[in-house]
Amino acid sequence: MLFLTLVVSHIFNKINIPAVVGQLILGVILGKGVLNIVKSTHEVELFADIGVVLLMFLAGLESDLKLLRKHLLPSINVAIFGVILPVALTLVTALLFDINLKESIFMSVVFAATSVSISVEVLKSLNYLSSTSGTVILGAAVADDILAISILSVMSGTLTGDFSAQKILTLLGLWLVFAILVVVFYKWVIPELMKLSEYLDATHAPTIFALVICLLMAYLADAVQLDSVLGAFIAGIAVSNAKDYNPKINQNIEMIGYAIFIPIFFISIGLNLEFDNFLRDFWLIALFTITGVIGKLFGAGFGAKISGFNLKDSYVIGSGMISRGEMALIVAQVGYSVHLLSEEYYSTVIISIILITIIAPFFLKHSISKNPL
């Protein structure tokens, strides 16, 4: 997988297409859908999980906290409108194909989720991550994650009958505890740990401390039923803003991530894709893919426009929110496990998610080419 990643990345970079697109396609070719020579084993999933955590940690390390604070309201607008339109379009599409209401509602939740990990990779490769638009995309993605998880929690409880006000209050309480822990870690714990790391006579002590903080925050986010990538992203911001932050940490984490874990993550997304029902559900897949792209592009783009961004910046921000990736796959898997998503339409939804994920970098690259820094 690693060798083929190198070959594919080289080819796609040479033809001026983001390397991540090649890695996503490589996963589809190696997996169930085409050659079926690489299985999505526990080991592959573990490496992929570490890969997405490290990728979002790097995004946090390269983010400007002042810009994130400055553009908090636009990020929330982008997230809200970037959820409303895809939910509405997916619901209408599913109902048009006579899918029952319960399953249609859940499908709309699946396509509400944004996965910024793919966009982060494209933004990084084009040196656009620390731009104003890149900052809004990151901020909106965090808000979008929380929105999607909140909707999933409420709807899965409501639609399965396992729902109570007590469960919602418990979830909100856990999120409040996490928010308090983030503040405590940011203000006192992380700065002291990074300061201590500079005095330790051990190889790459600051980098090891940074990894410990990254994995700990990812674990805590997961423990309170938020996405682990959210914890990793927050950890990156906190570490990079510590007084004793060593810029070499970024370089070292990149070497660890891109040498093995991050490529495995991108390949893993396509490994379970199957085309058994592709012809039968062709039009449904096509419409889910089209509405999935349009919903985020225009919904998130509208949120950016009403926040004062010009059309070119709004196009960049809308494009950056298109990708679904692992977030939508996780939501779909949760729904499948509790019978909110039937076996009949499971592959249809997964194929649509992966098609959107492959298409998304092309939109983002095009939008940035029209609006260079």
Side-chain angles (χ1 to χ4, degrees):
M1 281 191 284
L2 290 175
F3 174 71
L4 289 175
T5 296
L6 280 178
V7 174
V8 166
S9 298
H10 174 77
I11 292 169
F12 274 69
N13 283 327
K14 282 291 185 184
I15 58 177
N16 208 25
I17 295 174
V20 64
V21 177
Q23 293 170 14
L24 290 167
I25 294 170
L26 177 62
V28 174
I29 293 169
L30 294 176
K32 288 181 180 178
V34 184
L35 298 178
N36 198 23
I37 57 175
V38 176
K39 311 294 183 185
S40 184
T41 61
H42 170 70
E43 289 79 10
V44 169
E45 289 174 6
L46 177 62
F47 274 50
D49 287 343
I50 296 170
V52 70
V53 164
L54 291 180
L55 181 62
M56 292 310 296
F57 183 55
L58 283 166
L61 288 176
E62 295 179 19
S63 296
D64 188 327
L65 184 59
K66 289 180 182 176
L67 272 178
L68 279 168
R69 284 174 176 166
K70 182 181 176 183
H71 299 295
L72 178 62
L73 185 59
S75 296
I76 292 171
N77 285 338
V78 168
I80 291 171
F81 286 101
V83 165
I84 291 172
L85 191 56
V87 165
L89 291 175
T90 305
L91 183 59
V92 169
T93 301
L95 291 174
L96 283 173
F97 279 81
D98 292 326
I99 299 170
N100 69 66
L101 181 61
K102 183 174 82 170
E103 196 163 4
S104 296
I105 291 171
F106 182 76
M107 285 177 177
S108 68
V109 178
V110 173
F111 288 97
T114 292
S115 170
V116 77
S117 53
I118 310 297
S119 298
V120 162
E121 180 64 15
V122 179
L123 290 167
K124 276 169 63 68
S125 68
L126 298 172
N127 297 314
Y128 217 84
L129 189 60
S130 57
S131 67
T132 301
S133 298
T135 302
V136 171
I137 290 168
L138 286 170
V142 170
D144 200 41
D145 264 8
I146 295 170
L147 273 173
I149 292 165
S150 302
I151 295 169
L152 174 64
S153 300
V154 173
M155 286 194 169
S156 62
T158 305
L159 296 175
T160 56
D162 183 24
F163 174 76
S164 68
Q166 185 182 350
K167 287 197 172 185
I168 296 299
L169 289 173
T170 301
L171 192 61
L172 292 174
L174 286 172
W175 291 356
L176 180 62
V177 170
F178 179 74
I180 293 168
L181 284 173
V182 166
V183 173
V184 171
F185 270 67
Y186 177 76
K187 284 186 174 293
W188 296 289
V189 179
I190 291 173
E192 289 301 316
L193 286 176
M194 297 314 297
K195 186 177 179 180
L196 175 63
S197 70
E198 294 292 338
Y199 292 98
L200 289 178
D201 185 15
T203 306
H204 295 302
T207 302
I208 294 171
F209 263 97
L211 277 172
V212 168
I213 292 163
C214 165
L215 296 173
L216 176 61
M217 293 295 285
Y219 174 79
L220 289 174
D222 193 54
V224 299
Q225 297 179 43
L226 287 168
D227 200 331
S228 57
V229 299
L230 174 61
F233 177 66
I234 293 169
I237 293 172
V239 169
S240 66
N241 281 274
K243 186 180 177 182
D244 294 275
Y245 174 66
N246 186 338
K248 285 185 179 178
I249 291 172
N250 193 312
Q251 185 181 348
N252 291 339
I253 300 290
E254 274 198 347
M255 287 174 67
I256 295 167
Y258 283 97
I260 183 165
F261 297 107
I262 294 172
I264 299 297
F265 161 65
F266 288 127
I267 289 174
S268 71
I269 289 175
L271 289 180
N272 287 321
L273 182 63
E274 295 184 71
F275 296 100
D276 294 350
N277 298 325
F278 184 76
L279 291 177
R280 189 199 71 183
D281 294 329
F282 175 80
W283 290 113
L284 181 58
I285 291 168
L287 278 174
F288 273 160
T289 304
I290 292 166
T291 55
V293 171
I294 289 172
K296 285 292 182 184
L297 182 63
F298 286 95
F302 177 74
K305 190 72 178 72
I306 64 170
S307 300
F309 287 91
N310 61 38
L311 280 174
K312 286 185 176 179
D313 283 328
S314 298
Y315 178 31
V316 172
I317 292 166
S319 299
M321 297 295 289
I322 290 172
S323 179
R324 300 308 199 273
E326 84 290 341
M327 188 62 196
L329 293 172
I330 289 166
V331 174
Q333 187 59 46
V334 169
Y336 182 67
S337 65
V338 295
H339 308 295
L340 289 175
L341 183 61
S342 66
E343 188 174 348
E344 182 182 1
Y345 292 110
Y346 177 73
S347 291
T348 300
V349 169
I350 299 301
I351 290 171
S352 304
I353 290 167
I354 292 176
L355 286 174
I356 293 167
T357 305
I358 291 170
I359 291 166
F362 290 104
F363 272 90
L364 186 53
K365 186 174 184 296
H366 182 263
S367 66
I368 291 172
S369 71
K370 295 293 182 184
N371 193 32
L373 291 174

